[in-house]
PDB file of all heavy atoms in Angstrom:
ATOM      1  N   THR I  29      10.027   3.274   3.470  1.00  0.00           N
ATOM      2  CA  THR I  29       9.744   3.005   4.777  1.00  0.00           C
ATOM      3  C   THR I  29       8.490   2.046   4.809  1.00  0.00           C
ATOM      4  O   THR I  29       7.603   2.266   4.019  1.00  0.00           O
ATOM      5  CB  THR I  29       9.457   4.260   5.636  1.00  0.00           C
ATOM      6  OG1 THR I  29       8.402   4.985   5.030  1.00  0.00           O
ATOM      7  CG2 THR I  29      10.666   5.182   5.713  1.00  0.00           C
ATOM      8  N   MET I  30       8.500   1.145   5.720  1.00  0.00           N
ATOM      9  CA  MET I  30       7.445   0.121   5.763  1.00  0.00           C
ATOM     10  C   MET I  30       6.926   0.030   7.215  1.00  0.00           C
ATOM     11  O   MET I  30       7.754  -0.028   8.170  1.00  0.00           O
ATOM     12  CB  MET I  30       7.967  -1.270   5.314  1.00  0.00           C
ATOM     13  CG  MET I  30       8.552  -1.194   3.919  1.00  0.00           C
ATOM     14  SD  MET I  30       9.165  -2.749   3.364  1.00  0.00           S
ATOM     15  CE  MET I  30       7.681  -3.680   3.178  1.00  0.00           C
ATOM     16  N   LYS I  31       5.594   0.082   7.366  1.00  0.00           N
ATOM     17  CA  LYS I  31       4.993   0.026   8.736  1.00  0.00           C
ATOM     18  C   LYS I  31       3.929  -1.058   8.670  1.00  0.00           C
ATOM     19  O   LYS I  31       3.122  -1.167   7.703  1.00  0.00           O
ATOM     20  CB  LYS I  31       4.375   1.367   9.089  1.00  0.00           C
ATOM     21  CG  LYS I  31       5.356   2.490   9.305  1.00  0.00           C
ATOM     22  CD  LYS I  31       4.696   3.743   9.737  1.00  0.00           C
ATOM     23  CE  LYS I  31       5.708   4.848   9.841  1.00  0.00           C
ATOM     24  NZ  LYS I  31       5.092   6.110  10.229  1.00  0.00           N
ATOM     25  N   GLU I  32       3.861  -1.894   9.739  1.00  0.00           N
ATOM     26  CA  GLU I  32       2.906  -2.906   9.832  1.00  0.00           C
ATOM     27  C   GLU I  32       1.555  -2.270  10.137  1.00  0.00           C
ATOM     28  O   GLU I  32       1.427  -1.375  10.934  1.00  0.00           O
ATOM     29  CB  GLU I  32       3.253  -3.871  10.955  1.00  0.00           C
ATOM     30  CG  GLU I  32       4.526  -4.611  10.719  1.00  0.00           C
ATOM     31  CD  GLU I  32       4.536  -5.576   9.542  1.00  0.00           C
ATOM     32  OE1 GLU I  32       3.404  -6.224   9.398  1.00  0.00           O
ATOM     33  OE2 GLU I  32       5.471  -5.708   8.867  1.00  0.00           O
ATOM     34  N   GLY I  33       0.463  -2.683   9.383  1.00  0.00           N
ATOM     35  CA  GLY I  33      -0.811  -2.307   9.648  1.00  0.00           C
ATOM     36  C   GLY I  33      -1.575  -3.429  10.332  1.00  0.00           C
ATOM     37  O   GLY I  33      -0.940  -4.364  10.902  1.00  0.00           O
ATOM     38  N   SER I  34      -2.859  -3.376  10.314  1.00  0.00           N
ATOM     39  CA  SER I  34      -3.655  -4.448  10.939  1.00  0.00           C
ATOM     40  C   SER I  34      -3.696  -5.665  10.070  1.00  0.00           C
ATOM     41  O   SER I  34      -3.758  -5.507   8.778  1.00  0.00           O
ATOM     42  CB  SER I  34      -5.021  -3.962  11.280  1.00  0.00           C
ATOM     43  OG  SER I  34      -5.705  -3.572  10.130  1.00  0.00           O
ATOM     44  N   GLY I  35      -3.678  -6.833  10.644  1.00  0.00           N
ATOM     45  CA  GLY I  35      -3.768  -8.036   9.974  1.00  0.00           C
ATOM     46  C   GLY I  35      -2.472  -8.129   9.056  1.00  0.00           C
ATOM     47  O   GLY I  35      -1.425  -8.069   9.527  1.00  0.00           O
ATOM     48  N   SER I  36      -2.629  -8.423   7.727  1.00  0.00           N
ATOM     49  CA  SER I  36      -1.499  -8.713   6.834  1.00  0.00           C
ATOM     50  C   SER I  36      -1.148  -7.363   6.096  1.00  0.00           C
ATOM     51  O   SER I  36      -0.363  -7.419   5.209  1.00  0.00           O
ATOM     52  CB  SER I  36      -1.748  -9.778   5.946  1.00  0.00           C
ATOM     53  OG  SER I  36      -2.917  -9.420   5.110  1.00  0.00           O
ATOM     54  N   ARG I  37      -1.716  -6.272   6.450  1.00  0.00           N
ATOM     55  CA  ARG I  37      -1.432  -5.025   5.736  1.00  0.00           C
ATOM     56  C   ARG I  37      -0.068  -4.429   6.062  1.00  0.00           C
ATOM     57  O   ARG I  37       0.356  -4.484   7.181  1.00  0.00           O
ATOM     58  CB  ARG I  37      -2.527  -3.973   5.980  1.00  0.00           C
ATOM     59  CG  ARG I  37      -3.839  -4.375   5.542  1.00  0.00           C
ATOM     60  CD  ARG I  37      -4.889  -3.136   5.864  1.00  0.00           C
ATOM     61  NE  ARG I  37      -6.213  -3.563   5.484  1.00  0.00           N
ATOM     62  CZ  ARG I  37      -7.133  -4.078   6.262  1.00  0.00           C
ATOM     63  NH1 ARG I  37      -6.839  -4.254   7.593  1.00  0.00           N
ATOM     64  NH2 ARG I  37      -8.255  -4.420   5.907  1.00  0.00           N
ATOM     65  N   VAL I  38       0.518  -3.873   4.981  1.00  0.00           N
ATOM     66  CA  VAL I  38       1.835  -3.217   5.206  1.00  0.00           C
ATOM     67  C   VAL I  38       1.731  -1.929   4.438  1.00  0.00           C
ATOM     68  O   VAL I  38       1.453  -1.824   3.250  1.00  0.00           O
ATOM     69  CB  VAL I  38       2.990  -4.063   4.589  1.00  0.00           C
ATOM     70  CG1 VAL I  38       4.316  -3.386   4.686  1.00  0.00           C
ATOM     71  CG2 VAL I  38       3.055  -5.496   5.148  1.00  0.00           C
ATOM     72  N   ARG I  39       2.010  -0.863   5.214  1.00  0.00           N
ATOM     73  CA  ARG I  39       1.966   0.511   4.662  1.00  0.00           C
ATOM     74  C   ARG I  39       3.417   0.838   4.226  1.00  0.00           C
ATOM     75  O   ARG I  39       4.384   0.759   4.966  1.00  0.00           O
ATOM     76  CB  ARG I  39       1.582   1.534   5.686  1.00  0.00           C
ATOM     77  CG  ARG I  39       0.149   1.441   5.972  1.00  0.00           C
ATOM     78  CD  ARG I  39      -0.167   2.465   7.207  1.00  0.00           C
ATOM     79  NE  ARG I  39      -1.628   2.524   7.435  1.00  0.00           N
ATOM     80  CZ  ARG I  39      -2.372   1.618   8.034  1.00  0.00           C
ATOM     81  NH1 ARG I  39      -1.903   0.465   8.288  1.00  0.00           N
ATOM     82  NH2 ARG I  39      -3.672   1.896   8.168  1.00  0.00           N
ATOM     83  N   ILE I  40       3.511   1.247   2.907  1.00  0.00           N
ATOM     84  CA  ILE I  40       4.818   1.566   2.278  1.00  0.00           C
ATOM     85  C   ILE I  40       4.829   2.924   1.737  1.00  0.00           C
ATOM     86  O   ILE I  40       3.899   3.399   1.097  1.00  0.00           O
ATOM     87  CB  ILE I  40       5.054   0.480   1.100  1.00  0.00           C
ATOM     88  CG1 ILE I  40       4.993  -0.884   1.633  1.00  0.00           C
ATOM     89  CG2 ILE I  40       6.371   0.776   0.498  1.00  0.00           C
ATOM     90  CD1 ILE I  40       4.933  -1.936   0.535  1.00  0.00           C
ATOM     91  N   SER I  41       5.945   3.632   2.024  1.00  0.00           N
ATOM     92  CA  SER I  41       6.083   5.047   1.487  1.00  0.00           C
ATOM     93  C   SER I  41       7.495   5.097   0.858  1.00  0.00           C
ATOM     94  O   SER I  41       8.467   4.615   1.386  1.00  0.00           O
ATOM     95  CB  SER I  41       6.016   5.967   2.663  1.00  0.00           C
ATOM     96  OG  SER I  41       6.293   7.308   2.213  1.00  0.00           O
ATOM     97  N   LEU I  42       7.485   5.593  -0.424  1.00  0.00           N
ATOM     98  CA  LEU I  42       8.702   5.697  -1.185  1.00  0.00           C
ATOM     99  C   LEU I  42       8.580   6.954  -2.095  1.00  0.00           C
ATOM    100  O   LEU I  42       7.643   7.108  -2.886  1.00  0.00           O
ATOM    101  CB  LEU I  42       8.871   4.464  -2.062  1.00  0.00           C
ATOM    102  CG  LEU I  42      10.078   4.439  -3.012  1.00  0.00           C
ATOM    103  CD1 LEU I  42      11.397   4.489  -2.266  1.00  0.00           C
ATOM    104  CD2 LEU I  42      10.007   3.166  -3.841  1.00  0.00           C
ATOM    105  N   ASN I  43       9.521   7.906  -1.934  1.00  0.00           N
ATOM    106  CA  ASN I  43       9.529   9.085  -2.711  1.00  0.00           C
ATOM    107  C   ASN I  43       8.216   9.871  -2.640  1.00  0.00           C
ATOM    108  O   ASN I  43       7.645  10.185  -3.665  1.00  0.00           O
ATOM    109  CB  ASN I  43       9.986   8.753  -4.131  1.00  0.00           C
ATOM    110  CG  ASN I  43      11.454   8.216  -4.234  1.00  0.00           C
ATOM    111  OD1 ASN I  43      12.161   8.392  -3.329  1.00  0.00           O
ATOM    112  ND2 ASN I  43      11.621   7.469  -5.226  1.00  0.00           N
ATOM    113  N   SER I  44       7.669   9.996  -1.490  1.00  0.00           N
ATOM    114  CA  SER I  44       6.373  10.689  -1.263  1.00  0.00           C
ATOM    115  C   SER I  44       5.235  10.001  -1.936  1.00  0.00           C
ATOM    116  O   SER I  44       4.134  10.549  -2.131  1.00  0.00           O
ATOM    117  CB  SER I  44       6.451  12.162  -1.729  1.00  0.00           C
ATOM    118  OG  SER I  44       7.466  12.884  -1.070  1.00  0.00           O
ATOM    119  N   THR I  45       5.302   8.753  -2.252  1.00  0.00           N
ATOM    120  CA  THR I  45       4.294   7.909  -2.801  1.00  0.00           C
ATOM    121  C   THR I  45       3.906   6.786  -1.785  1.00  0.00           C
ATOM    122  O   THR I  45       4.803   6.207  -1.264  1.00  0.00           O
ATOM    123  CB  THR I  45       4.695   7.325  -4.170  1.00  0.00           C
ATOM    124  OG1 THR I  45       5.103   8.272  -5.044  1.00  0.00           O
ATOM    125  CG2 THR I  45       3.484   6.554  -4.727  1.00  0.00           C
ATOM    126  N   ASN I  46       2.639   6.676  -1.445  1.00  0.00           N
ATOM    127  CA  ASN I  46       2.234   5.686  -0.514  1.00  0.00           C
ATOM    128  C   ASN I  46       1.299   4.672  -1.054  1.00  0.00           C
ATOM    129  O   ASN I  46       0.581   4.942  -2.038  1.00  0.00           O
ATOM    130  CB  ASN I  46       1.546   6.464   0.627  1.00  0.00           C
ATOM    131  CG  ASN I  46       2.354   7.545   1.234  1.00  0.00           C
ATOM    132  OD1 ASN I  46       3.431   7.263   1.755  1.00  0.00           O
ATOM    133  ND2 ASN I  46       1.856   8.776   1.305  1.00  0.00           N
ATOM    134  N   ILE I  47       1.350   3.548  -0.407  1.00  0.00           N
ATOM    135  CA  ILE I  47       0.531   2.371  -0.764  1.00  0.00           C
ATOM    136  C   ILE I  47       0.324   1.465   0.394  1.00  0.00           C
ATOM    137  O   ILE I  47       1.188   1.441   1.322  1.00  0.00           O
ATOM    138  CB  ILE I  47       1.092   1.575  -1.976  1.00  0.00           C
ATOM    139  CG1 ILE I  47       0.035   0.588  -2.547  1.00  0.00           C
ATOM    140  CG2 ILE I  47       2.283   0.864  -1.619  1.00  0.00           C
ATOM    141  CD1 ILE I  47       0.438   0.064  -3.932  1.00  0.00           C
ATOM    142  N   VAL I  48      -0.877   0.768   0.409  1.00  0.00           N
ATOM    143  CA  VAL I  48      -1.012  -0.327   1.437  1.00  0.00           C
ATOM    144  C   VAL I  48      -1.147  -1.607   0.619  1.00  0.00           C
ATOM    145  O   VAL I  48      -2.051  -1.727  -0.240  1.00  0.00           O
ATOM    146  CB  VAL I  48      -2.310  -0.047   2.313  1.00  0.00           C
ATOM    147  CG1 VAL I  48      -2.526  -1.192   3.271  1.00  0.00           C
ATOM    148  CG2 VAL I  48      -2.192   1.241   2.978  1.00  0.00           C
ATOM    149  N   LEU I  49      -0.250  -2.505   0.917  1.00  0.00           N
ATOM    150  CA  LEU I  49      -0.339  -3.816   0.329  1.00  0.00           C
ATOM    151  C   LEU I  49      -0.600  -4.866   1.382  1.00  0.00           C
ATOM    152  O   LEU I  49      -0.257  -4.672   2.556  1.00  0.00           O
ATOM    153  CB  LEU I  49       1.049  -4.223  -0.366  1.00  0.00           C
ATOM    154  CG  LEU I  49       1.413  -3.375  -1.604  1.00  0.00           C
ATOM    155  CD1 LEU I  49       2.825  -3.868  -2.046  1.00  0.00           C
ATOM    156  CD2 LEU I  49       0.463  -3.613  -2.739  1.00  0.00           C
ATOM    157  N   HIS I  50      -1.118  -6.068   0.902  1.00  0.00           N
ATOM    158  CA  HIS I  50      -1.386  -7.165   1.904  1.00  0.00           C
ATOM    159  C   HIS I  50      -0.236  -8.113   1.675  1.00  0.00           C
ATOM    160  O   HIS I  50       0.190  -8.579   0.517  1.00  0.00           O
ATOM    161  CB  HIS I  50      -2.661  -7.864   1.534  1.00  0.00           C
ATOM    162  CG  HIS I  50      -3.859  -7.044   1.893  1.00  0.00           C
ATOM    163  ND1 HIS I  50      -4.576  -7.209   3.132  1.00  0.00           N
ATOM    164  CD2 HIS I  50      -4.494  -6.039   1.314  1.00  0.00           C
ATOM    165  CE1 HIS I  50      -5.501  -6.374   3.236  1.00  0.00           C
ATOM    166  NE2 HIS I  50      -5.530  -5.587   2.117  1.00  0.00           N
ATOM    167  N   ARG I  51       0.411  -8.521   2.803  1.00  0.00           N
ATOM    168  CA  ARG I  51       1.431  -9.530   2.838  1.00  0.00           C
ATOM    169  C   ARG I  51       0.785 -10.797   2.418  1.00  0.00           C
ATOM    170  O   ARG I  51      -0.242 -11.174   2.949  1.00  0.00           O
ATOM    171  CB  ARG I  51       2.079  -9.598   4.169  1.00  0.00           C
ATOM    172  CG  ARG I  51       3.166 -10.722   4.224  1.00  0.00           C
ATOM    173  CD  ARG I  51       3.737 -10.704   5.673  1.00  0.00           C
ATOM    174  NE  ARG I  51       4.711  -9.638   5.806  1.00  0.00           N
ATOM    175  CZ  ARG I  51       4.567  -8.596   6.577  1.00  0.00           C
ATOM    176  NH1 ARG I  51       3.429  -8.537   7.456  1.00  0.00           N
ATOM    177  NH2 ARG I  51       5.464  -7.631   6.617  1.00  0.00           N
ATOM    178  N   PRO I  52       1.306 -11.563   1.365  1.00  0.00           N
ATOM    179  CA  PRO I  52       0.693 -12.808   0.920  1.00  0.00           C
ATOM    180  C   PRO I  52       0.751 -13.875   1.995  1.00  0.00           C
ATOM    181  O   PRO I  52       1.668 -13.986   2.749  1.00  0.00           O
ATOM    182  CB  PRO I  52       1.483 -13.140  -0.348  1.00  0.00           C
ATOM    183  CG  PRO I  52       2.810 -12.485  -0.249  1.00  0.00           C
ATOM    184  CD  PRO I  52       2.527 -11.251   0.632  1.00  0.00           C
ATOM    185  N   HIS I  53      -0.355 -14.628   2.081  1.00  0.00           N
ATOM    186  CA  HIS I  53      -0.382 -15.750   2.941  1.00  0.00           C
ATOM    187  C   HIS I  53      -1.442 -16.671   2.551  1.00  0.00           C
ATOM    188  O   HIS I  53      -2.383 -16.335   1.836  1.00  0.00           O
ATOM    189  CB  HIS I  53      -0.672 -15.287   4.367  1.00  0.00           C
ATOM    190  CG  HIS I  53      -1.930 -14.534   4.589  1.00  0.00           C
ATOM    191  ND1 HIS I  53      -3.154 -15.109   4.655  1.00  0.00           N
ATOM    192  CD2 HIS I  53      -2.233 -13.219   4.537  1.00  0.00           C
ATOM    193  CE1 HIS I  53      -4.099 -14.215   4.716  1.00  0.00           C
ATOM    194  NE2 HIS I  53      -3.557 -13.034   4.643  1.00  0.00           N
ATOM    195  N   PRO I  54      -1.323 -17.922   2.737  1.00  0.00           N
ATOM    196  CA  PRO I  54      -0.321 -18.642   3.421  1.00  0.00           C
ATOM    197  C   PRO I  54       0.994 -18.854   2.662  1.00  0.00           C
ATOM    198  O   PRO I  54       2.024 -19.135   3.185  1.00  0.00           O
ATOM    199  CB  PRO I  54      -0.902 -20.049   3.743  1.00  0.00           C
ATOM    200  CG  PRO I  54      -1.856 -20.256   2.702  1.00  0.00           C
ATOM    201  CD  PRO I  54      -2.405 -18.872   2.306  1.00  0.00           C
ATOM    202  N   SER I  55       0.903 -18.636   1.329  1.00  0.00           N
ATOM    203  CA  SER I  55       2.071 -18.751   0.505  1.00  0.00           C
ATOM    204  C   SER I  55       2.800 -17.482   0.521  1.00  0.00           C
ATOM    205  O   SER I  55       2.322 -16.388   0.585  1.00  0.00           O
ATOM    206  CB  SER I  55       1.644 -19.019  -0.875  1.00  0.00           C
ATOM    207  OG  SER I  55       2.745 -18.923  -1.816  1.00  0.00           O
ATOM    208  N   PRO I  56       4.177 -17.596   0.482  1.00  0.00           N
ATOM    209  CA  PRO I  56       5.012 -16.357   0.506  1.00  0.00           C
ATOM    210  C   PRO I  56       5.150 -15.634  -0.899  1.00  0.00           C
ATOM    211  O   PRO I  56       5.829 -14.663  -0.995  1.00  0.00           O
ATOM    212  CB  PRO I  56       6.403 -16.880   0.968  1.00  0.00           C
ATOM    213  CG  PRO I  56       6.416 -18.269   0.418  1.00  0.00           C
ATOM    214  CD  PRO I  56       5.069 -18.776   0.515  1.00  0.00           C
ATOM    215  N   ASP I  57       4.428 -16.171  -1.949  1.00  0.00           N
ATOM    216  CA  ASP I  57       4.521 -15.726  -3.236  1.00  0.00           C
ATOM    217  C   ASP I  57       3.413 -14.689  -3.561  1.00  0.00           C
ATOM    218  O   ASP I  57       2.220 -14.972  -3.217  1.00  0.00           O
ATOM    219  CB  ASP I  57       4.469 -16.848  -4.215  1.00  0.00           C
ATOM    220  CG  ASP I  57       5.524 -17.872  -4.083  1.00  0.00           C
ATOM    221  OD1 ASP I  57       6.631 -17.463  -3.526  1.00  0.00           O
ATOM    222  OD2 ASP I  57       5.378 -18.996  -4.429  1.00  0.00           O
ATOM    223  N   MET I  58       3.739 -13.564  -4.250  1.00  0.00           N
ATOM    224  CA  MET I  58       2.759 -12.686  -4.688  1.00  0.00           C
ATOM    225  C   MET I  58       2.028 -13.104  -5.952  1.00  0.00           C
ATOM    226  O   MET I  58       2.609 -13.798  -6.827  1.00  0.00           O
ATOM    227  CB  MET I  58       3.493 -11.283  -4.987  1.00  0.00           C
ATOM    228  CG  MET I  58       4.117 -10.664  -3.790  1.00  0.00           C
ATOM    229  SD  MET I  58       4.894  -9.135  -4.169  1.00  0.00           S
ATOM    230  CE  MET I  58       3.535  -8.066  -4.480  1.00  0.00           C
ATOM    231  N   ASP I  59       0.713 -12.854  -6.048  1.00  0.00           N
ATOM    232  CA  ASP I  59      -0.028 -13.129  -7.236  1.00  0.00           C
ATOM    233  C   ASP I  59       0.069 -12.085  -8.283  1.00  0.00           C
ATOM    234  O   ASP I  59       0.664 -11.097  -7.952  1.00  0.00           O
ATOM    235  CB  ASP I  59      -1.441 -13.483  -6.863  1.00  0.00           C
ATOM    236  CG  ASP I  59      -2.222 -12.330  -6.292  1.00  0.00           C
ATOM    237  OD1 ASP I  59      -1.788 -11.132  -6.528  1.00  0.00           O
ATOM    238  OD2 ASP I  59      -3.285 -12.486  -5.691  1.00  0.00           O
ATOM    239  N   LYS I  60      -0.441 -12.335  -9.448  1.00  0.00           N
ATOM    240  CA  LYS I  60      -0.246 -11.365 -10.536  1.00  0.00           C
ATOM    241  C   LYS I  60      -0.884 -10.036 -10.258  1.00  0.00           C
ATOM    242  O   LYS I  60      -0.291  -8.977 -10.586  1.00  0.00           O
ATOM    243  CB  LYS I  60      -0.920 -11.892 -11.856  1.00  0.00           C
ATOM    244  CG  LYS I  60      -0.136 -12.952 -12.433  1.00  0.00           C
ATOM    245  CD  LYS I  60      -0.725 -13.477 -13.773  1.00  0.00           C
ATOM    246  CE  LYS I  60       0.037 -14.561 -14.401  1.00  0.00           C
ATOM    247  NZ  LYS I  60      -0.467 -14.977 -15.691  1.00  0.00           N
ATOM    248  N   GLY I  61      -1.997  -9.962  -9.583  1.00  0.00           N
ATOM    249  CA  GLY I  61      -2.653  -8.729  -9.234  1.00  0.00           C
ATOM    250  C   GLY I  61      -1.822  -7.877  -8.321  1.00  0.00           C
ATOM    251  O   GLY I  61      -1.670  -6.663  -8.467  1.00  0.00           O
ATOM    252  N   ALA I  62      -1.182  -8.514  -7.250  1.00  0.00           N
ATOM    253  CA  ALA I  62      -0.400  -7.776  -6.390  1.00  0.00           C
ATOM    254  C   ALA I  62       0.870  -7.295  -7.092  1.00  0.00           C
ATOM    255  O   ALA I  62       1.322  -6.268  -6.768  1.00  0.00           O
ATOM    256  CB  ALA I  62      -0.080  -8.674  -5.166  1.00  0.00           C
ATOM    257  N   VAL I  63       1.402  -8.093  -7.874  1.00  0.00           N
ATOM    258  CA  VAL I  63       2.640  -7.640  -8.632  1.00  0.00           C
ATOM    259  C   VAL I  63       2.338  -6.509  -9.559  1.00  0.00           C
ATOM    260  O   VAL I  63       3.146  -5.513  -9.693  1.00  0.00           O
ATOM    261  CB  VAL I  63       3.269  -8.823  -9.459  1.00  0.00           C
ATOM    262  CG1 VAL I  63       4.393  -8.421 -10.378  1.00  0.00           C
ATOM    263  CG2 VAL I  63       3.685  -9.876  -8.569  1.00  0.00           C
ATOM    264  N   ARG I  64       1.164  -6.510 -10.231  1.00  0.00           N
ATOM    265  CA  ARG I  64       0.769  -5.385 -11.017  1.00  0.00           C
ATOM    266  C   ARG I  64       0.588  -4.139 -10.305  1.00  0.00           C
ATOM    267  O   ARG I  64       1.032  -3.065 -10.663  1.00  0.00           O
ATOM    268  CB  ARG I  64      -0.559  -5.772 -11.757  1.00  0.00           C
ATOM    269  CG  ARG I  64      -1.012  -4.721 -12.767  1.00  0.00           C
ATOM    270  CD  ARG I  64      -2.261  -5.164 -13.551  1.00  0.00           C
ATOM    271  NE  ARG I  64      -2.313  -6.538 -13.902  1.00  0.00           N
ATOM    272  CZ  ARG I  64      -3.212  -7.423 -13.308  1.00  0.00           C
ATOM    273  NH1 ARG I  64      -4.075  -7.082 -12.429  1.00  0.00           N
ATOM    274  NH2 ARG I  64      -3.218  -8.716 -13.706  1.00  0.00           N
ATOM    275  N   THR I  65      -0.083  -4.195  -9.097  1.00  0.00           N
ATOM    276  CA  THR I  65      -0.217  -3.033  -8.203  1.00  0.00           C
ATOM    277  C   THR I  65       1.147  -2.553  -7.702  1.00  0.00           C
ATOM    278  O   THR I  65       1.379  -1.282  -7.712  1.00  0.00           O
ATOM    279  CB  THR I  65      -1.031  -3.447  -6.942  1.00  0.00           C
ATOM    280  OG1 THR I  65      -2.328  -3.915  -7.438  1.00  0.00           O
ATOM    281  CG2 THR I  65      -1.249  -2.274  -6.105  1.00  0.00           C
TER     282      THR I  65
END
C-alpha cells in the first residue's frame, strides 16, 4: 500500500514492513542510495 506524504514523500507498507521514500525529481530515475534502501 502506498500513501502520499508531504512533498515528494511516499509511505509504503508491505508485509507489515514500513518505509518512507522520496519520489525522485526532477529525473524519474532512482539513484544508487535510493535503490540500496
Side-chain angles (χ1 to χ4, degrees):
T29 57
M30 302 176 73
K31 294 182 182 176
E32 296 294 322
S34 61
S36 63
R37 292 182 186 98
V38 179
R39 288 175 170 72
I40 303 166
S41 179
L42 177 62
N43 298 337
S44 301
T45 305
N46 301 305
I47 191 171
V48 176
L49 293 176
H50 288 264
R51 179 177 282 114
H53 58 82
S55 169
D57 301 335
M58 297 179 71
D59 62 20
K60 286 184 181 184
V63 174
R64 187 177 319 112
T65 301

